[in-house]
Amino acid sequence: MTVAVSVPPGDARVPAPSAWWLLIAGVIGLVSSATLTVEKIDLLANPSYVPSCNINPILSCGSVMVTPQASAFGFPNPLLGIAGFTVVVVAGVLAVAKVSLPQWFWIGLAVGILSGAVLVHWLIFQSLYRIGALCPYCMVVWAVTVTLLVVVLSIVLRGSLDDSGALVRVLFQWRWSIVALWFTTVFLLIMVRFWDYWSTLL
C-alpha cells in the first residue's frame, strides 16, 4: 500500500530552474557588486584612476561613482549588493542541493529583494534624469534584481495560488511577460534619454 505524504508548501523543495537561477543570478550580482566596490576603492585612492567600465560618455561608471546617489545611505551602494547577493548565493546553493527551507525564509528574502528593487528603480531614475550617465555593472545588478524578485516571489507563492486572488494568479501567469515588458521599457527609456548621443554613432 502506498502512503501519500503531504509536504507543506513552505517546506517544499525549490524547482530546479528557480534554484539554479538563484545561484547564477546571485553570483552575477555578487561579482558585479564586488567589482564596483574595488573600482570605488581605486578611485578614492587615485582620483585620476579610470574605471574599467568607462566605455563612453554615457556608459561610464566613473561618472556615477562620484555622485551622492552612489552612496545613498552614507556608504557605497555596492556594499549593500555584496551583503544582499551573498544571502542569495547561499540560498541558491541550498536550493540546488535540494535543502528545504522554511516559508519564513523565502518571505524574508522576497522582502529584502523587493527593497533592493525599489532602490534599483530609484537609481534608474537618478541615472537617467539626474546624473546623465549609466554604470554598466549597475545595469547588470538592475537586471538580476528584477528577475530574482520574480523567481523568489514564485517560490513564496508556489502551492498557495489556489487560495490567492484572481489578480495574483493573473500576475503569476504573466510574470515573465511582465519582466520582458520591464526590460523593453528600460531599454526604450535609455534610448530616448540619450538619443542625441546614440544618433551620432549611426
Side-chain angles (χ1 to χ4, degrees):
M1 180 177 65
T2 302
V3 179
V5 179
S6 176
V7 181
D11 293 329
R13 292 174 180 173
V14 177
S18 297
W20 277 105
W21 184 244
L22 275 174
L23 179 57
I24 294 170
V27 169
I28 292 172
L30 182 58
V31 170
S32 297
S33 298
T35 303
L36 277 170
T37 301
V38 172
E39 297 276 20
K40 177 68 172 180
I41 293 172
D42 289 339
L43 190 61
L44 290 173
N46 178 13
S48 62
Y49 173 73
V50 178
S52 61
C53 45
N54 278 16
I55 300 173
N56 58 44
I58 302 302
L59 298 174
S60 173
C61 291
S63 300
V64 177
M65 286 180 183
V66 297
T67 65
Q69 293 93 326
S71 300
F73 299 97
F75 53 85
N77 296 340
L79 294 179
L80 289 172
I82 290 176
F85 286 117
T86 297
V87 175
V88 173
V89 169
V90 172
V93 170
L94 294 175
V96 169
K98 301 187 182 304
V99 175
S100 297
L101 295 170
Q103 183 75 343
W104 62 260
F105 174 85
W106 294 113
I107 292 174
L109 187 59
V111 171
I113 296 176
L114 178 60
S115 300
V118 171
L119 178 60
V120 158
H121 285 81
W122 179 77
L123 291 172
I124 291 174
F125 176 83
Q126 295 296 319
S127 295
L128 290 176
Y129 304 109
R130 296 294 181 266
I131 300 172
L134 299 169
C135 165
Y137 291 132
C138 301
M139 294 168 70
V140 171
V141 171
W142 300 351
V144 296
T145 299
V146 169
T147 56
L148 279 171
L149 178 61
V150 173
V151 168
V152 174
L153 285 177
S154 298
I155 293 171
V156 170
L157 291 172
R158 74 193 190 282
S160 61
L161 281 177
D162 291 340
D163 301 324
S164 302
L167 177 60
V168 173
R169 290 195 295 271
V170 170
L171 290 174
F172 181 84
Q173 181 180 0
W174 291 92
R175 61 193 184 282
W176 291 115
S177 296
I178 294 171
V179 170
L181 178 61
W182 181 87
F183 276 104
T184 302
T185 301
V186 172
F187 174 77
L188 291 176
L189 288 174
I190 291 172
M191 293 301 294
V192 171
R193 174 64 180 84
F194 301 112
W195 181 249
D196 288 344
Y197 176 76
W198 305 133
S199 61
T200 65
L201 304 179
L202 299 178

